[in-house]
Amino acid sequence: MRTNVLPRVVTRNHKVILIAGGAGFVGSNLSSRLLDDGHEVICVDNFQTGCRRNIAPFLQRRNYRLIQHDICNPIDISGPVHEIYNMACAASPDRYQEGPIHTSKTCFLGALNLLELARSKKARILQSSTSEVYGDPEISLQDESYRGCVNTCGPRACYDEGKRVAETLFWEYGAHKGVETRIARIFNTYGPNMDPEDGRVVSNFIVQALQGEDLTLYGTGTQTRSFCYVSDLVDGLIQLMASDEKMPVNLGNPCEFTMLELAEKVVKMVRSRAGVTFRPLPQDDPRQRKPNIERAKRILGWVPKVSLNEGLSTTIEWYRERLAVDKEAEAPVGQ
């Protein structure tokens, strides 16, 4: 597949940057930042989980181009490409388990095709890996040297193992083919542009609370997560791309909360009377997530700045507005 080169909006540090999965939650937030910084952005997305609404504000900008394409298939871009961010792949368990074979192919073939594009363009490329490569960890905190406690034959394996093999491909292309590779291990992230039906815990809790429904907790609610606001993650991704670091780097907020604590916080902030409903813990669901970010601090000078209260407040208002728009759109004509 070939595409025409984009019209240029030249700035002093102008780059042409391709974002695979650019219409997704993180990809669209990253696009917004890079466009505002004066770069030219090529969004590549098959819209399996990406949303056109996320990128609607960019479509009329001269330095933005959308290509609908599945990275499981090779892609060729006319003209220069300086950087590639691989943000493609469904990230919530509900979504990536809907098509586990395609999830595995996206992780492996998608990474391979983008690495080949990076090699041909002499572009620097960043892989959005995940804390899921650590599996259900036996240690706390998880640092980059921890090799994980993983299950290759469970319902989460298509994503967990897919991301692990993608890291291997990035390592091999860096070590043997001269490609400038970067690997970000992303921990739980939340914020505007996350699909209300995404199925991840922050979006689930906020939507349920806003709709006056009981919040769904799995297991006893004592399992923990650490939540990073999306603007902090975008900062980290851009700083990692600009660094010389070739080994994986954790990006996440080390402030740890139980699911029950998060549920209580969301209910209070929404001013809802919702209760909680307990359901069985899904197979291989991690009991604990807390990143060690010392490498990110040392190498990138990066630390998350947005507190959970601040980030949740902004995210709740975004969901409140989004649900109101959706409700109005669904209302019968004349009402």
Side-chain angles (χ1 to χ4, degrees), residues 3 31 36-37 45 67 79 87 92 123 125 173-174 180 190 210 226 237 244 249 270 294 321 327 333:
T3 63
S31 297
D36 288 347
D37 287 345
D45 206 297
I67 300 171
M87 313 304 297
S92 74
I125 181 169
Y173 266 73
E180 284 287 328
Y190 69 100
L210 287 171
S226 303
L237 293 171
D244 294 324
V249 176
V270 172
E294 290 305 311
E321 293 175 8
K327 184 176 181 180
V333 176

Side-chain angles (χ1 to χ4, degrees), residues 18-241:
L18 185 147
I19 304 177
F25 160 48
V26 175
S28 59
N29 279 280
L30 176 62
S31 297
S32 180
R33 177 75 60 83
L34 293 172
L35 288 167
D36 288 347
D37 287 345
H39 300 299
E40 190 171 322
V41 172
I42 304 172
C43 169
V44 176
D45 206 297
N46 67 352
F47 293 99
Q48 178 190 17
T49 57
C51 178
R52 292 182 183 274
R53 183 183 299 191
N54 287 345
I55 61 172
F58 314 143
L59 293 176
Q60 301 306 313
R61 298 179 67 158
R62 292 185 60 216
N63 56 340
Y64 185 82
R65 175 72 175 273
L66 169 63
I67 300 171
Q68 185 166 344
H69 179 79
D70 190 328
I71 62 166
C72 290
N73 303 309
I75 183 170
D76 186 20
I77 305 292
S78 298
V81 176
H82 301 108
E83 294 177 353
I84 299 170
Y85 288 84
N86 182 16
M87 313 304 297
C89 191
S92 74
D94 287 354
R95 296 290 176 82
Y96 66 64
Q97 291 176 30
E98 287 176 358
I101 304 301
H102 187 266
T103 297
S104 299
K105 290 171 66 177
T106 301
C107 290
F108 178 76
L109 293 177
L112 184 65
N113 289 328
L114 292 176
L115 284 161
E116 279 296 312
L117 178 63
R119 187 167 71 92
S120 68
K121 297 294 184 181
K122 296 182 171 54
R124 183 172 291 191
I125 181 169
L126 182 147
Q127 165 67 9
S128 64
S129 191
T130 171
S131 61
E132 299 300 326
V133 300
Y134 299 124
D136 187 5
E138 300 162 306
I139 64 169
S140 178
L141 312 163
Q142 293 91 55
D143 63 44
E144 293 86 350
S145 67
Y146 178 56
R147 296 184 179 181
C149 176
V150 295
N151 179 6
T152 63
C153 299
R156 302 173 72 101
C158 58
Y159 183 73
D160 300 2
E161 294 301 304
K163 290 289 189 175
R164 286 166 68 93
V165 74
E167 285 195 13
T168 301
L169 280 174
F170 268 65
W171 165 253
E172 297 296 351
Y173 266 73
H176 302 294
K177 292 186 177 291
V179 177
E180 284 287 328
T181 59
R182 305 290 181 264
I183 300 171
R185 288 182 179 164
I186 299 172
F187 283 68
N188 292 68
T189 303
Y190 69 100
N193 288 5
M194 183 182 281
D195 187 344
E197 298 180 1
D198 180 75
R200 282 179 280 193
V201 64
V202 173
S203 54
N204 276 356
F205 282 1
I206 293 176
V207 170
Q208 287 173 330
L210 287 171
Q211 294 179 337
E213 301 172 358
D214 286 350
L215 277 59
T216 304
L217 281 167
Y218 294 94
T220 61
T222 56
Q223 66 271 36
T224 68
R225 298 292 184 270
S226 303
F227 300 101
C228 184
Y229 190 66
V230 67
S231 64
D232 283 334
L233 176 65
V234 166
D235 286 342
L237 293 171
I238 292 172
Q239 289 171 236
L240 178 57
M241 179 69 90

Side-chain angles (χ1 to χ4, degrees), residues 6 11 45:
L6 297 176
T11 64
D45 206 297

